[in-house]
Amino acid sequence: MRALVTGGAGYLGSHTVTTLLDAGHDVLVLDSLAGAGRAGLERAAEVCGVELGDARLRLVVADIRRPEDWADEVVAWAPDAVVHFAGLKSPTESMASPAEYYSVNVGGTAYVAEAAVRAGARTLLFSSSATVYGDRAPVPVAESAPIDPVSPYGRSKAMAEQVLTDVHAASPELSVASLRYFNPVGAHPSGRMGEDPQGTPANLMPFVSRVASGAYPELTVFGADFATRDGSAVRDFIHVMDLAEAHVAALEWMAARPSEEAGVRVWNIGRGEGVTVFEMVRAFEEVTGRPVPFTVGGRRAGDIAESCADVGAVARDVGWRARRDVREMVRDLWAWQQAEQEGHGGP
């Protein structure tokens, strides 16, 4: 299979590129490199034993909002499938820059879908988010839960899903699937690839890792008075390699079926098990042997007590389930953190 991966140099995209290559597929990456640079993609090539720029892994550097800079090259490459990661991803940032989020996440998706149809692709997977469910969905959250996003980021993901549904209606030869991620964490088991947020990490796991390494003095746990088993918030964490494997499994499942059977699909991607913030802190301490000092602060605006996926649909349809547990998430993230600290080819 020939796959176009937009945003393939980023955290989720680069890990999915490695999984596609390992499965024998060829990949064309479309990425502006504004968020991640080339390092993630270069390392993906390294761990898979290929050369960036050869027949198996190519890169087009362009902004998805400027199809005049990339669409003809994509059409000429004639991908069988498209995996669309490219987009902006901070709910907090989206509150301050809503127009930019709609431009990239909605307008960009429309351009990618249009190019996919022109290129004759049969399948498009979209990188969506559990944020489309909003704050009031019942737990565990099933795909049938109402859509009620509370930020421009979440609304942009929901709108992009609708764009793809409409594109399929107009061009039924292109089947589409929206994968609603919960909380991807961890790193490639080689220790050569992982999440490298610029500045202060907004997500729990990268921040905890930096506290364990001594880069930050302590973690602030936002809220310890939730109605959960230990008072801290519960989240459904999934190893990034499980998420990458979910994409390959979904692509291969969709590709094996006529477009009218594959149609439009929506799948939650998570482990289907919640982990509290305090449980994650203890897991870091147990796996790494390092202390993770923390203080308890107040809840952040919009934080909810519990978020956990119902993953029955993707298991029934595709036969995929997450395989890696919390200890493996911590182990692989810590290996990446240590390798970067020691200067093993850090960007």
Side-chain angles (χ1 to χ4, degrees):
M1 185 187 303
R2 294 161 68 87
L4 167 68
V5 180
T6 74
Y11 173 50
L12 304 182
S14 60
H15 286 77
T16 300
V17 166
T18 67
T19 309
L20 285 164
L21 291 168
D22 285 342
H25 305 301
D26 297 336
V27 179
L28 173 65
V29 170
L30 171 62
D31 200 301
S32 70
L33 302 183
R38 296 173 61 95
L41 198 56
E42 290 171 345
R43 295 184 188 195
E46 173 194 320
V47 300
C48 293
V50 302
E51 293 289 333
L52 179 57
D54 73 8
R56 297 212 56 215
L57 179 61
R58 294 174 51 194
L59 170 65
V60 174
V61 180
D63 187 320
I64 57 170
R65 293 173 295 178
R66 295 182 56 84
E68 63 272 20
D69 294 339
W70 56 264
D72 287 345
E73 190 165 354
V74 165
V75 170
W77 198 70
D80 304 294
V82 176
V83 186
H84 179 37
F85 289 105
L88 302 176
K89 61 180 182 179
S90 169
T92 302
E93 182 183 66
S94 75
M95 302 293 286
S97 305
E100 183 78 357
Y101 270 70
Y102 292 124
S103 173
V104 175
N105 292 358
V106 183
T109 296
Y111 287 129
V112 170
E114 182 180 45
V117 172
R118 282 184 55 204
R122 296 185 58 239
T123 303
L124 190 153
L125 295 189
F126 174 56
S127 171
S128 191
S129 168
T131 59
V132 302
Y133 295 118
D135 295 344
R136 294 176 289 183
V139 177
V141 183
E143 292 87 349
S144 58
I147 298 299
D148 188 23
V150 297
S151 69
Y153 166 72
R155 286 188 282 273
S156 74
K157 289 294 187 179
M159 292 169 68
E161 288 189 14
Q162 185 61 57
V163 167
L164 294 175
T165 298
D166 293 342
V167 168
H168 171 76
S171 302
E173 67 277 10
L174 179 69
S175 58
V176 301
S178 294
L179 276 56
R180 294 175 179 168
Y181 313 149
F182 278 66
N183 296 83
V185 297
H188 194 275
S190 67
R192 293 291 295 140
M193 298 169 57
E195 187 176 14
D196 187 25
Q198 302 303 305
T200 303
N203 295 327
L204 175 67
M205 290 280 273
F207 200 102
V208 170
S209 182
R210 292 186 183 184
V211 172
S213 72
Y216 295 143
E218 65 182 14
L219 167 73
T220 299
V221 176
F222 294 105
D225 57 350
F226 292 102
T228 61
R229 54 185 172 267
D230 63 14
S232 64
V234 175
R235 295 293 181 264
D236 189 340
F237 296 98
I238 177 172
H239 197 295
V240 66
M241 293 305 298
D242 277 325
L243 181 140
E245 290 167 5
H247 285 76
V248 177
L251 273 185
E252 292 177 346
W253 186 91
M254 300 277 282
R257 285 156 177 79
S259 58
E260 60 269 19
E261 178 184 344
V264 176
R265 302 279 172 157
V266 177
W267 290 308
N268 287 337
I269 304 298
R271 290 179 68 236
E273 298 178 13
V275 178
T276 73
V277 173
F278 289 142
E279 288 168 349
M280 186 59 78
V281 169
R282 286 196 295 273
F284 251 93
E285 292 180 329
E286 291 170 3
V287 172
T288 67
R290 300 287 189 93
V292 180
F294 66 86
T295 58
V296 175
R299 300 185 191 184
R300 293 174 298 189
D303 275 354
I304 59 176
E306 186 172 1
S307 175
C308 185
D310 181 334
V311 292
V314 70
R316 289 189 301 271
D317 292 346
V318 178
W320 173 87
R321 281 192 181 276
R323 300 185 292 112
R324 297 164 178 87
D325 63 17
V326 170
R327 294 183 67 86
E328 290 171 286
M329 298 175 201
V330 174
R331 179 199 67 198
D332 292 340
L333 175 56
W334 187 242
W336 155 253
Q337 175 76 39
Q338 293 300 99
E340 290 304 283
Q341 278 193 318
E342 293 168 10
H344 293 170

